[in-house]
Amino acid sequence: MGIIADWFRRYLSDPQLVFLTLLLLTLTAVILTLGNMLAPVLASMVVAYLLEGLVGVCERHGLPRTASVLVVFIGFLLFVGLLLFGVLPLVSRQVTELVQQLPNMINEGTRALVELPGRHPDLVSTEQIDELIGSLRSEAVAFGQRVLSWSLAGVVGVLTVVVYLILMPLLVFFFLKDKDLILDWFRQYLPEHRRIANAIWVEVDRQIANYVRGKFWEILIVWAFNYLIFLSFGLRYAMLLALLLGLSVIVPYIGAVVVTVPVILIAWFQWGWSAEFIWLATIYGIAQALDGNVLVPLLFSEVVNLHPVAIIVAILVFGGLWGFWGVFFAIPLATLVHAILIAWPAQHAAGRDS
């Protein structure tokens, strides 16, 4: 108990450290309790944060703030329109086709599995294949039931999308346009002496800006590049698979492995063990290697490298707390924790020495 009391006296006797602790606890409590209700606001803040970098680029090229915001906002609306009226209908159609073809794929896969004991009796037995086929069929039935439940809940989903489509553009525009006004309003309620909080925010802001914007560009590049590959080969469901691959980069290490399975299976069901299948698998593997060894270091050269164990733990913890956004921001939030753990004792020691 003496060690714990000494730690509290050492690090929580400084009013700035107390303020930082209360600020973090308050923000966490607000997100946990009001996160669902404030979801459009939080999502709009994320989008505005992403677009702020483009606004800064326009300002550095001589455009005033208002004109920069208008240019970036119009570009954002065009991008959203392209997604809604160009990409989304194509993805929806391909999802429907995939669900319709799923029974045929299962039957074809079942026939291939049934032949395995005869070809390789030392590796697999008939009983093992029957058990595997039974589990696959049960999973297919469960998947069909989930698709049906999604369709029945479609009305609620449509209403939610309409709310987001109306509220989010307005919120994004005002977050960009009145950024300084909003920040000044918040600052007036903060204490004057907040050296530690400011130091941590400068470091975290740099890390999060680099990560989030880099991750956004990585999603677009991986999506577009893989779509061109699949389209050139004539692979079915090219847009759907490419979109899943783009989104898979949100979850490092795990996402690409999970999405690779349907890519390989669909290619096999379409071509079998043919030259097209081998070429596609080879080029796909090269693309994944380029993403991990060229694109990621290029986009995230200024981001703190966290240990893979820390990244996986962060994804599990923050994903469990906040779902998709928790997974998306797992690494920036882990970076925030890392920055606090480093800056807290350092700033305390600097303040004590001064």
Side-chain angles (χ1 to χ4, degrees), residues 8-27:
F8 272 95
R9 283 193 299 268
R10 181 181 303 172
Y11 293 114
L12 294 182
S13 59
D14 191 335
Q16 296 191 56
L17 294 175
V18 175
F19 162 71
L20 176 62
T21 303
L22 292 176
L23 178 63
L24 293 174
L25 291 175
T26 301
L27 291 175

Side-chain angles (χ1 to χ4, degrees), residues 49-247:
Y49 189 80
L50 288 170
L51 298 178
E52 180 61 32
L54 296 177
V55 173
V57 171
C58 293
E59 288 182 309
R60 287 192 292 272
H61 282 79
L63 282 178
R65 174 76 186 183
T66 303
S68 300
V69 169
L70 285 175
V71 169
V72 173
F73 184 71
I74 291 173
F76 165 69
L77 292 181
L78 292 175
F79 177 73
V80 173
L82 176 64
L83 290 181
L84 289 178
F85 301 107
V87 175
L88 190 60
L90 179 58
V91 171
S92 176
R93 185 166 61 251
Q94 291 185 357
V95 169
T96 303
E97 293 174 0
L98 179 59
V99 172
Q100 291 174 347
Q101 291 297 320
L102 196 57
N104 295 330
M105 292 181 178
I106 293 174
N107 292 332
E108 188 175 345
T110 300
R111 286 195 298 269
L113 289 174
V114 169
E115 296 174 358
L116 283 178
R119 294 179 179 179
H120 308 283
D122 296 334
L123 296 178
V124 292
S125 63
T126 305
E127 292 76 12
Q128 291 174 328
I129 294 299
D130 292 339
E131 184 178 352
L132 178 61
I133 292 174
S135 62
L136 289 175
R137 286 177 175 170
S138 63
E139 288 294 330
V141 171
F143 177 75
Q145 292 175 346
R146 286 196 295 270
V147 171
L148 179 60
S149 64
W150 293 338
S151 63
L152 292 177
V155 176
V156 178
V158 168
L159 293 177
T160 303
V161 169
V162 169
V163 170
Y164 272 73
L165 288 178
I166 294 174
L167 284 181
M168 281 189 61
L170 291 174
L171 290 171
V172 168
F173 177 76
F174 286 113
F175 280 142
L176 289 172
K177 175 179 173 293
D178 299 327
K179 171 193 168 185
D180 295 332
L181 183 65
I182 295 171
L183 292 178
D184 290 338
W185 183 83
F186 274 107
R187 289 192 188 103
Q188 69 179 339
Y189 295 101
L190 301 178
E192 285 185 39
H193 303 289
R194 49 180 188 272
R195 182 189 73 253
I196 298 177
N198 288 338
I200 292 175
W201 169 248
V202 169
E203 176 64 18
V204 171
D205 179 54
R206 182 178 69 86
Q207 295 293 332
I208 292 180
N210 290 332
Y211 176 80
V212 173
R213 290 164 189 159
K215 187 61 69 175
F216 176 75
W217 284 112
E218 186 186 7
I219 291 172
L220 289 182
I221 293 171
V222 171
W223 177 11
F225 188 66
N226 282 284
Y227 178 64
L228 291 177
I229 293 175
F230 297 157
L231 198 63
S232 64
F233 275 89
L235 182 66
R236 296 171 187 166
Y237 323 115
M239 178 60 76
L240 174 62
L241 295 175
L243 176 60
L244 292 176
L245 280 169
L247 295 176

